[in-house]
Amino acid sequence: MMIKKAIAVLVVTLTLTSCSISTFYAQNEAAEYTPTKKEEIKLYSHNSPKEYIVVGSMAIDVNGSPKVAEAYLKKKASALGADAVIFCKLNKLNSFTSRTGISGVAVKFK
């Protein structure tokens, strides 16, 4: 009985710590943009100084450091065709797993 519980805990732990979770809510589902280079994505904790079109809201949760979360956010934003992510908010979760969440609004510059 104890071995079954230990295996169940191990399976749940591996499942929670090995995956990255992302979500995206499109501003306009009909709009499609050409993917951009992830190296060129700008991250802002505030509004952008340039005029933009909102692509949508996004949130990422990864196992790892803030740098890992930022890289994953840029990768996802570039695939959507965004030029930047504004109003970025970072959440570091310190439990038995080291998870980092990051969210923001993906935008395309005019």
Side-chain angles (χ1 to χ4, degrees):
M1 185 68 148
M2 197 65 159
I3 293 175
K4 287 182 181 179
K5 285 183 182 180
I7 291 172
V9 169
L10 180 62
V11 168
V12 170
T13 302
L14 289 174
T15 301
L16 292 175
T17 60
S18 64
C19 64
S20 298
I21 302 167
S22 66
T23 188
F24 172 71
Y25 300 100
Q27 180 74 18
N28 178 357
E29 291 183 23
E32 290 188 28
Y33 304 100
T34 304
T36 54
K37 295 180 181 178
K38 64 183 176 184
E39 300 82 21
E40 296 177 3
I41 300 289
K42 303 291 183 197
L43 301 181
Y44 298 99
S45 62
H46 49 77
N47 204 353
S48 168
K50 297 181 182 180
E51 288 189 48
Y52 57 84
I53 300 166
V54 173
V55 176
S57 300
M58 52 191 322
I60 307 291
D61 180 61
V62 298
N63 184 31
S65 69
K67 290 289 183 195
V68 171
E70 287 177 13
Y72 198 77
L73 181 74
K74 286 182 177 186
K75 178 181 175 184
K76 291 292 188 178
S78 68
L80 297 169
D83 295 315
V85 181
I86 58 174
F87 302 116
C88 287
K89 184 176 180 182
L90 187 69
N91 296 304
K92 184 72 174 139
L93 306 174
N94 288 322
S95 60
F96 67 87
T97 62
S98 180
R99 305 224 33 109
T100 303
I102 189 167
S103 61
V105 178
V107 298
K108 184 83 178 159
F109 293 135
K110 291 184 178 181

